[in-house]
């Protein structure tokens, strides 16, 4: 298993300041959000937690087992996040928590009006496609996910801002919170487009371009080709693609090639050179550097972990 994008350690509450050993809570209030830091120091089960606002949670240390709505229970580990709508009760188990091995999780509760204004901003300014307007929305159907590098960096920054004494922290928090929400919404939109692609229809411009990328991952993909597929000028294409996906076309292609490489690395009969070539990388050293940048470990180390796992 590849290394996950884990949050930077957050200082634990001094023992003399603990109010409880299960879900001890520290609160940092800002204008449009509230940062909560929860810690548990002993084993416990079916601990209920409900927020009156939409909440973005992310594990820092330890392990929880989460029970949400009608979904099956799942392990919740560092490097992962869970989003929960307002007024939905979470039931949480702490099967491994102890004083020597506490769990720690942050929860960003976000004001509903701030979410609405962010979605309105997206609908107004992130809609440069002349033929198809995106109705941006924030869904909670895919509520449990691994943090990517950008989401991790934004949450780390929000933790630092919210817990600081800077007089301008509300301004800085608003900027970073808006970006975090936009990235989550874009990620959900991209996931929906991928699911729709499975139907075989090129119902949208983005589906058509993404299908072309996926069908040519082993080939050299030129941006000019993608522009022609999208019937957009080069400048308009870059702006439109980043609006829809949150990253540049080149970054998206690299990420998809790395995903393909991870699948191929599970085959012990394939060499790194063969995998590099099958993923569209002509230089194996360049492939190794990119893989390490994205996954945090080399493809060789990842391959060994697959064999051991």
């Amino acid at each position: 298993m590849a290394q996950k994008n884990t949050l930077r350690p957050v200082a634990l509450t001094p023992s003399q300041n603990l109010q409880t050993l299960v879900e001890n809570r520290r609160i940092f209030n800002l204008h449009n959000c509230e940062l909560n830091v929860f810690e548990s120091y002993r084993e416990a089960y079916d601990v209920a937690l409900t927020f009156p606002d939409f909440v973005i949670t992310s594990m820092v240390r330890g392990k929880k087992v989460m029970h949400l709505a009608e979904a099956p229970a799942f392990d919740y580990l560092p490097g992962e996040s869970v989003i929960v709508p307002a007024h939905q009760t979470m039931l949480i188990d702490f099967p491994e928590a102890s004083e020597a091995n506490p769990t720690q999780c942050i929860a960003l509760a976000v004001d509903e009006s701030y979410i609405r204004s962010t979605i309105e901003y997206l609908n107004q300014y992130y809609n440069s496609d002349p033929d198809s307007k995106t109705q941006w929305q924030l869904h909670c159907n895919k509520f449990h996910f691994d943090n990517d590098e950008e989401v991790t960096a934004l949450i780390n920054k929000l933790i630092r801002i919210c817990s600081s004494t800077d007089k301008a922290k509300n301004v800085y928090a608003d900027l970073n919170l808006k970006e975090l929400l936009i990235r989550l919404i874009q990620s959900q939109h991209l996931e929906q487009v991928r699911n729709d692609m499975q139907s075989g229809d090129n119902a949208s411009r983005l589906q058509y371009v993404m299908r072309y990328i996926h069908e040519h991952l082993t080939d050299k993909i030129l941006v000019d080709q993608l522009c022609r597929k999208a019937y957009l000028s080069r400048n308009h294409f870059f702006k439109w693609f980043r609006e829809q996906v949150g990253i540049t076309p080149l970054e998206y292609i690299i990420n998809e090639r790395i995903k393909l490489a991870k699948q191929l690395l599970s085959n012990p009969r394939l060499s790194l050179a063969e995998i590099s070539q099958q993923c569209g990388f002509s230089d194996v050293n360049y492939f190794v550097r990119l893989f390490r940048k994205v996954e945090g470990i080399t493809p060789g180390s990842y391959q060994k972990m697959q064999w051991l796992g």
Side-chain angles (χ1 to χ4, degrees), residues 13-226:
T13 305
S15 58
Q16 66 271 21
N17 295 335
L18 290 173
Q19 301 297 312
T20 176
L21 294 180
V22 177
E23 290 295 70
N24 184 77
R25 183 180 186 183
R26 284 179 283 166
I27 304 173
F28 303 88
N29 276 302
L30 281 83
H31 287 164
N32 293 307
C33 70
E34 175 189 87
L35 171 66
N36 299 267
V37 182
F38 290 97
E39 298 163 8
S40 292
Y41 294 82
R42 66 174 176 82
E43 184 178 333
Y45 297 88
D46 292 333
V47 178
L49 183 63
T50 308
F51 283 88
D53 299 301
F54 171 83
V55 64
I56 304 166
T57 78
S58 197
M59 282 295 288
V60 182
R61 65 180 84 198
K63 171 187 171 180
K64 295 181 179 180
V65 177
M66 300 288 287
H67 307 263
L68 296 179
E70 298 178 359
F74 59 90
D75 291 348
Y76 191 17
L77 303 168
E80 301 172 2
S81 289
V82 167
I83 57 176
V84 183
H87 307 294
Q88 179 173 310
T89 298
M90 300 172 263
L91 290 178
I92 311 170
D93 301 335
F94 304 88
E96 301 175 1
S98 66
E99 291 188 18
N101 181 38
T103 68
Q104 188 180 55
C105 180
I106 67 96
L108 276 166
V110 186
D111 186 76
E112 182 182 354
S113 63
Y114 189 82
I115 295 174
R116 284 199 307 269
S117 68
T118 301
I119 293 174
E120 290 170 2
Y121 172 83
L122 277 169
N123 284 327
Q124 184 173 359
Y125 295 107
Y126 276 50
N127 257 321
S128 66
D129 190 334
D131 299 323
S132 177
K133 297 294 183 182
T134 301
Q135 289 300 311
W136 297 102
Q137 298 179 58
L138 181 60
H139 302 285
C140 292
N141 52 346
K142 188 182 179 184
F143 48 84
H144 180 213
F145 53 90
D146 290 342
N147 298 339
D148 62 26
E149 188 175 354
E150 289 79 13
V151 166
T152 300
L154 285 166
I155 294 177
N156 276 328
K157 197 167 185 179
L158 278 164
I159 292 171
R160 180 178 59 78
I161 291 168
C162 291
S163 56
S164 76
T165 57
D166 194 320
K167 292 181 179 179
K169 65 181 182 179
N170 278 294
V171 175
Y172 300 139
D174 278 358
L175 294 172
N176 285 274
L177 183 59
K178 186 182 290 291
E179 182 177 353
L180 177 60
L181 288 172
I182 289 172
R183 287 195 177 275
L184 291 176
I185 293 169
Q186 286 173 324
S187 176
Q188 291 178 348
H189 176 60
L190 180 58
E191 186 70 22
Q192 184 60 51
V193 171
R194 283 176 171 149
N195 292 338
D196 291 343
M197 275 201 319
Q198 305 303 317
S199 67
D201 298 326
N202 290 322
S204 72
R205 190 193 305 269
L206 184 59
Q207 285 175 293
Y208 185 58
V209 171
M210 286 177 57
R211 185 182 301 280
Y212 179 84
I213 290 173
H214 283 255
E215 290 176 350
H216 295 82
L217 280 178
T218 61
D219 306 325
K220 185 175 183 179
I221 301 174
L222 300 177
V223 172
D224 287 343
Q225 290 175 314
L226 300 179

